[in-house]
Amino acid sequence: MIIPSEKGALANFLQYIVDNCTASQEDRKSLYEKRRRYYLYGQNKMQMVRFNRLKSHLPLLASFLYSSDQIAYSVAAPKNADDRTIESYLAIEDDFNQEFQDSGLASAYDQALLWALIYDTFILKVGWNDVTDSLFAQLVEPTSFGVMREDLWSFTAQQAMTHSYLLDYDDAVERLKRAGKVQEIDNIEMMAGGSSDLGLPGTLNQMVISATGGANIMGNISGAVNPDYESSPSYTARVDAALVRLHEVWVWDSAAKDWRTFVCTGTVILSDSKDTIGAIKREAGGERKRKRLSYGSETNLFLPGENPFVPITPYPIYNFFWGDGHIEDLIPLQTWSTERLDQISEILEKQVDPAKLFSGFMGIDDERAAALGAPGTWMADQLPGAKVEELKPTMPEDLFREFAEIGALFMEQSGFTEIMAGKGEKNVRGKSHAQALKTTGGGRVRKVASHLEESLVRLGDIALRLKAYNDDEILKSATGFEFVTAQVLEDSKYTMRVAGHSHSPLFTAETQEIAALLFKAQAVDQQWLVRLLRPPMMDNLLHALKQRQAAQAKKQQDMLKAGIDPNHPPKRNGHAPRPNA
């Protein structure tokens, strides 16, 4: 995009970008709030239902799609690389997999995936913490993010995007002072803090409206409320501080052929990445005052040609960036389940305390009729035909079965089978047969898990490049060669993949079988078998294995020096030789 240089034109341009990126924000916000309430409460109210299947089903689905403790990346050297380079990449791979777990990126993706199933898309914003010298990931709600073209499902095709967030008023003023724009302090728009929840309290949701003063309940409302004094969680943070809404605008600069970042609020521009880089270079005499000597870009403070956002969309739609919200397929089932439970509860309550029919009595007041049925109560009447009948409703035979079948429909809607959920099936003849049924029956959910690799690879690639750019830790290859990650990655085209679909438990059994076959065919040694299986304490196991192999090799060398063949050592016999007869 062509970015204007004149101040007024630039402010109008940024306002145009923000308006386009946030055009659907309010519509999506109300939709996401509904989905959030269904997940947390089981209905579109801030009040718990008797049984919320969504709150147990969606985490189960997320656990099949992704496992944070098993994911591992494969960082392959370029083709035709020498042995030293390949060994260096193997050391980089081990170090990065450890950093990916320790920095919390694996856990952050786990949380983002769950809420992507609830909403439709969730965004991770990756960065480097200069205080802790480690990677970090910020979870960005889709209501705070927007793209220029929602009709393009590919994130790499976007030329502009906006991340909106709230900042304390004092921090916003401090930023303006650092930017030398004190005169703009009075122009920033301050908003009151507090919850942005769109729902009504649980009690008000139970209001029976008898009259309204306008269409769509927009006027004065008259009605009755059945008060519920039991408090329920709102799951909404309360912030009373004065806040300022900032927009972090990322625009592809056609002139610089890289991303350019602006931070603005309304018509006030707080920062421009191009000006920031220029000021740093002038202050440092053309050199960067950090671990690297210079920026690789004139406009990008992050990484050359890259932005920090990783969108996660489990169910994409080819002409809609935000994709499909899987929870929308489950909400009708949750509503059905709630209705059936309420009906079952009502029938059981009527069976425990049924209605009574008084016939043949000369007269009985309401208080005595209501008291009848309590322990020790009785009633007599002068008329011989007087009687009391209990009107107990009968429970439909298939009502509980229907409720159980709703749970099976939940599983079917998400692509699960009974055997995948840990339940036995008829006519299963063994472990291999059960594994085959699990593989063939879980095709749909396996497809969703495979699609997640695109976002996982992007997350890993950005994280690895950030680590190489900021971390000067010296690594050592298996042969003792010492190097820094940036030295190896610089000017080399490596390949990053999720190693063996390790992110999903759906592929674990297949990976273990392949590893066993490769080891049996002597295609891999013991060390590579441990790497493929990735057991707990893998580093310690590899270290102990190397020590045993080194000790065994030394023993063989000592035997050769003594003139003993290590492959045919002499047999020891504990008995004395027999004397010749």
Side-chain angles (χ1 to χ4, degrees):
M1 304 182 73
I2 301 176
I3 303 176
S5 57
E6 195 270 326
K7 182 178 179 181
L10 178 60
N12 294 332
F13 173 78
L14 292 179
Q15 188 62 48
Y16 165 77
I17 296 295
V18 171
D19 290 343
N20 276 272
C21 292
T22 59
S24 65
Q25 191 175 79
E26 289 301 321
D27 295 336
R28 290 188 290 111
K29 188 175 183 180
S30 60
L31 180 64
Y32 293 151
E33 187 61 30
K34 182 200 76 170
R35 295 173 178 175
R36 180 177 184 270
R37 286 197 293 266
Y38 263 103
Y39 172 70
L40 294 176
Y41 303 101
Q43 60 181 342
N44 195 15
K45 303 173 186 177
M46 294 173 61
Q47 192 174 31
M48 298 288 186
V49 297
R50 285 185 172 86
F51 177 58
N52 186 2
R53 287 185 184 270
L54 292 173
K55 209 168 186 178
S56 59
H57 179 79
L58 288 175
L60 176 65
L61 174 59
S63 67
F64 275 93
L65 297 177
Y66 175 78
S67 176
S68 60
D69 60 339
Q70 291 294 327
I71 181 173
Y73 285 94
S74 171
V75 186
K79 295 181 179 180
N80 302 323
D82 54 28
D83 292 342
R84 173 177 287 186
T85 303
I86 295 175
E87 292 177 354
S88 300
Y89 269 95
L90 190 59
I92 292 174
E93 176 185 309
D94 292 340
D95 178 67
F96 176 72
N97 283 325
Q98 187 68 35
E99 176 69 19
F100 191 79
Q101 294 287 343
D102 295 343
S103 63
L105 292 185
S107 299
Y109 190 93
D110 194 8
Q111 296 184 50
L113 175 59
L114 174 60
W115 286 99
L117 294 172
I118 297 169
Y119 292 149
D120 48 30
T121 296
F122 213 84
I123 295 92
L124 284 177
K125 188 177 183 181
V126 190
W128 180 266
N129 192 327
D130 290 329
V131 177
T132 60
D133 278 337
S134 63
L135 296 162
F136 74 91
Q138 177 185 356
L139 276 72
V140 180
E141 292 184 343
T143 54
S144 303
F145 190 78
V147 293
M148 190 71 176
R149 295 278 304 275
E150 291 187 351
D151 59 326
L152 301 176
W153 71 274
S154 176
F155 183 65
T156 56
Q158 301 294 335
Q159 290 192 336
M161 61 201 71
T162 301
H163 174 209
S164 305
Y165 57 92
L166 297 176
L167 190 68
D168 291 343
Y169 176 79
D170 295 338
D171 293 340
V173 171
E174 185 178 353
R175 287 194 180 189
L176 284 174
K177 290 181 178 179
R178 289 202 305 263
K181 299 182 179 181
V182 182
Q183 68 279 4
E184 300 286 356
I185 293 179
D186 295 335
N187 297 329
I188 60 176
E189 300 177 1
M190 185 175 61
M191 56 185 299
S195 169
S196 60
D197 187 89
L198 300 178
L200 296 171
T203 301
L204 295 183
N205 277 303
Q206 304 296 325
M207 177 181 291
V208 180
I209 300 173
S210 59
T212 176
N216 299 325
I217 321 181
M218 295 300 294
N220 296 328
I221 299 175
S222 299
V225 174
N226 183 17
D228 182 8
Y229 298 104
E230 183 178 354
S231 61
S232 58
S234 64
Y235 303 109
T236 303
R238 179 175 177 177
V239 181
D240 294 328
L243 303 174
V244 177
R245 181 172 294 278
L246 299 182
H247 302 288
E248 185 178 298
V249 185
W250 289 73
V251 184
W252 181 260
D253 191 342
S254 301
K257 295 183 179 180
D258 205 341
W259 291 100
R260 186 172 170 183
T261 312
F262 302 89
V263 178
C264 61
T265 170
T267 58
V268 180
I269 302 175
L270 275 73
S271 65
D272 180 356
S273 59
K274 183 177 181 180
D275 297 339
T276 303
I277 292 177
I280 292 176
K281 287 185 175 181
R282 288 192 300 270
E283 182 181 353
E287 294 184 353
R288 185 185 175 193
K289 295 173 63 178
R290 292 187 65 179
K291 298 176 182 178
R292 298 289 167 263
L293 295 178
S294 62
Y295 280 99
S297 171
E298 296 180 356
T299 60
N300 197 342
L301 282 164
F302 186 63
L303 289 172
E306 197 57 85
N307 64 75
F309 302 106
V310 181
I312 304 170
T313 309
Y315 296 88
I317 298 177
Y318 75 97
N319 60 349
F320 187 52
F321 174 79
W322 305 106
D324 181 24
H326 183 57
I327 196 173
E328 289 289 342
D329 301 327
L330 303 174
I331 285 176
L333 297 177
Q334 174 61 42
T335 304
W336 187 14
S337 174
T338 302
E339 290 176 353
R340 285 294 177 265
L341 265 185
D342 290 341
Q343 292 170 354
I344 292 173
S345 175
E346 184 178 358
I347 294 175
L348 290 175
E349 186 175 355
K350 289 180 179 180
Q351 288 181 339
V352 172
D353 186 13
K356 300 179 180 65
L357 177 61
F358 295 85
S359 61
F361 288 91
M362 294 182 62
I364 181 173
D365 54 30
D366 295 342
E367 292 183 358
R368 293 181 180 180
L372 182 63
T377 58
W378 56 275
M379 181 178 293
D381 195 84
Q382 297 177 0
L383 297 179
K387 62 178 180 178
V388 179
E389 294 184 54
E390 290 186 343
L391 304 180
K392 286 187 177 182
T394 57
M395 182 74 69
E397 296 181 359
D398 295 334
L399 195 57
F400 280 101
R401 184 182 302 174
E402 179 182 340
F403 177 74
E405 288 297 326
I406 296 175
L409 291 177
F410 266 84
M411 306 296 288
E412 175 66 24
Q413 189 67 53
S414 298
F416 284 121
T417 58
E418 293 290 334
I419 197 169
M420 289 180 62
K423 299 179 181 179
E425 287 191 359
K426 297 180 180 179
N427 302 323
V428 177
R429 294 183 294 273
K431 180 180 179 181
S432 59
H433 188 200
Q435 183 61 37
L437 291 176
K438 185 182 295 186
T439 301
T440 55
R444 283 192 295 156
V445 69
R446 287 164 64 93
K447 183 178 180 181
V448 178
S450 299
H451 172 72
L452 293 178
E453 291 191 14
E454 181 180 357
S455 58
L456 282 168
V457 170
R458 173 174 172 79
L459 174 63
D461 183 54
I462 293 176
L464 177 59
R465 292 166 61 186
L466 267 179
K467 179 175 172 57
Y469 193 72
N470 294 277
D471 191 4
D472 283 340
E473 180 184 2
I474 298 177
L475 304 180
K476 183 183 292 186
S477 65
T479 56
F481 172 65
E482 295 183 349
F483 63 94
V484 178
T485 304
Q487 297 175 347
V488 178
L489 297 184
E490 190 176 6
D491 300 329
S492 64
K493 191 175 181 180
Y494 62 88
T495 303
M496 172 170 280
R497 293 287 185 270
V498 178
H501 308 290
S502 58
H503 69 288
S504 174
L506 296 171
F507 303 95
T508 302
E510 296 179 13
T511 303
Q512 294 175 350
E513 290 179 3
I514 293 174
L517 289 174
L518 291 175
F519 183 72
K520 185 177 181 179
Q522 298 183 355
V524 296
D525 56 9
Q526 293 178 338
Q527 292 189 21
W528 271 106
L529 179 63
V530 174
R531 288 181 176 276
L532 289 173
L533 295 178
R534 303 196 65 82
M537 299 186 296
M538 185 185 72
D539 295 337
N540 294 334
L541 291 176
L542 288 174
H543 179 70
L545 179 60
K546 291 178 182 178
Q547 286 185 331
R548 289 199 304 271
Q549 290 176 344
Q552 187 176 3
K554 185 178 182 302
K555 181 179 179 180
Q556 291 179 353
Q557 290 179 358
D558 294 340
M559 293 176 67
L560 289 174
K561 290 180 181 180
I564 303 173
D565 186 1
N567 297 321
H568 300 85
K571 296 182 180 180
R572 293 183 178 181
N573 192 352
H575 301 283
R578 292 182 178 181
N580 294 329

